[in-house]
Amino acid sequence: MGLELVELAMDIEDTFGFDIPNADAEVLETVGQTYDYICQRLKVVKGEQCVTMHTFHRLRAATVSEFGVERRTIKPTTPLKQILPTTKRADYRKISQRTGLRMPLLVARHTDWIAGGLLLLAAAGAFRVAWPVAEGFANRLALSIIAALTAAIVVAFLFRKNVWHPRRVWETSTVRQWVENTVALNRLAAPSTEWTDGRVWQVFKDLVVTDLGVKPEQVVRDARYVQDLGAG
């Protein structure tokens, strides 16, 4: 398969939201065969799965563009630390800017731990000072309740920041978890309109014209990529 056809296959994947195995790509020799293949694949990619797959392709495309990661190495089971090494963590926000999606936290922020620890220490110090001078059962009960509420607020703060959330820990996260968390965080919904045969054909035809540099009238069902469209 020539470079132009590889680029076309990659654009089809990114546009329609599914992977094309090499074995399938090698037997797609005409425009019509590829069009029928796309229509067949789109029938099984609907609803929430469609949203997840679409998000996966958006994140993968952004990662490839920003960090130069080999595209084929980014799979749902790939550990995040394998494609976003330690030295790249500071650039994580670039993916958010490129995709327009809010990104879930992947590691605990040291500032969050420090702030939480200081609050707990301050609460413990205040409790220790106030307890000896508090008189009566009611005063000490009120003081205990205040201390417990303070500790609860600090813990809630840390959980809200995803400091202790197991799905946000970098070393145990995979691309699949990254995608699922991104979908949930952005409250992404399934597209309101599904692909129609006519829409698939028009979008696919535009891809062929752009990637192969041919005229629209040349893109017909029986057109062969190599012999008729001169794809290299």
Side-chain angles (χ1 to χ4, degrees):
M1 181 183 296
L3 181 60
E4 290 179 330
L5 292 180
V6 171
E7 291 293 332
L8 177 60
M10 293 172 62
D11 284 342
I12 291 173
E13 291 179 332
D14 289 336
T15 300
F16 295 105
F18 58 78
D19 286 321
I20 303 178
N22 291 333
D24 290 351
E26 291 174 357
V27 299
L28 300 176
E29 299 180 349
T30 69
V31 170
Q33 290 174 348
T34 307
Y35 168 71
D36 292 338
Y37 177 82
I38 294 172
C39 291
Q40 180 182 8
R41 291 295 303 272
L42 286 177
K43 291 179 181 178
V44 297
V45 183
K46 294 181 180 179
E48 187 64 26
Q49 183 182 3
C50 179
V51 176
T52 302
M53 289 298 297
H54 181 63
T55 304
F56 166 74
H57 285 281
R58 289 174 67 181
L59 294 176
R60 183 173 68 173
T63 303
V64 171
S65 299
E66 290 294 341
F67 305 129
V69 181
E70 179 63 32
R71 188 172 183 274
R72 296 292 180 180
T73 64
I74 305 178
K75 302 177 181 179
T77 57
T78 303
L80 278 182
K81 63 180 180 180
Q82 180 176 323
I83 61 174
L84 301 177
T86 302
T87 56
K88 300 287 187 174
R89 291 184 186 179
D91 295 330
Y92 183 52
R93 62 183 179 275
K94 293 182 180 179
I95 298 180
S96 178
Q97 295 171 351
R98 179 175 286 271
T99 60
L101 297 172
R102 295 169 58 198
M103 294 290 105
L105 295 179
L106 298 180
V107 289
R109 295 178 180 175
H110 296 302
T111 54
D112 293 339
W113 281 105
I114 294 173
L118 290 176
L119 286 174
L120 285 176
L121 286 175
F127 181 80
R128 184 173 182 180
V129 171
W131 182 263
V133 300
E135 297 181 357
F137 174 78
N139 290 336
R140 290 196 170 186
L141 178 60
L143 185 62
S144 299
I145 293 175
I146 292 174
L149 287 176
T150 302
I153 291 173
V154 172
V155 172
F157 166 79
L158 294 176
F159 270 106
R160 183 175 178 82
K161 290 293 187 178
N162 298 321
V163 172
W164 289 334
H165 199 304
R167 292 172 70 87
R168 302 300 197 271
V169 179
W170 188 286
E171 285 73 15
T172 60
S173 291
T174 62
V175 170
R176 185 190 306 278
Q177 292 174 337
W178 183 25
V179 171
E180 291 174 350
N181 289 335
T182 301
V183 170
L185 181 63
N186 291 272
R187 295 183 174 86
L188 299 178
S192 57
T193 57
E194 296 182 3
W195 289 102
T196 63
D197 292 346
R199 184 166 173 240
V200 170
W201 171 255
Q202 188 58 54
V203 172
F204 169 57
K205 181 178 179 180
D206 291 341
L207 290 177
V208 175
V209 171
T210 301
D211 290 349
L212 303 187
V214 297
K215 297 179 180 180
E217 55 267 25
Q218 293 179 267
V219 184
V220 295
R221 286 189 58 91
D222 294 334
R224 297 168 295 180
Y225 290 118
V226 178
Q227 294 87 342
D228 300 325
L229 302 180

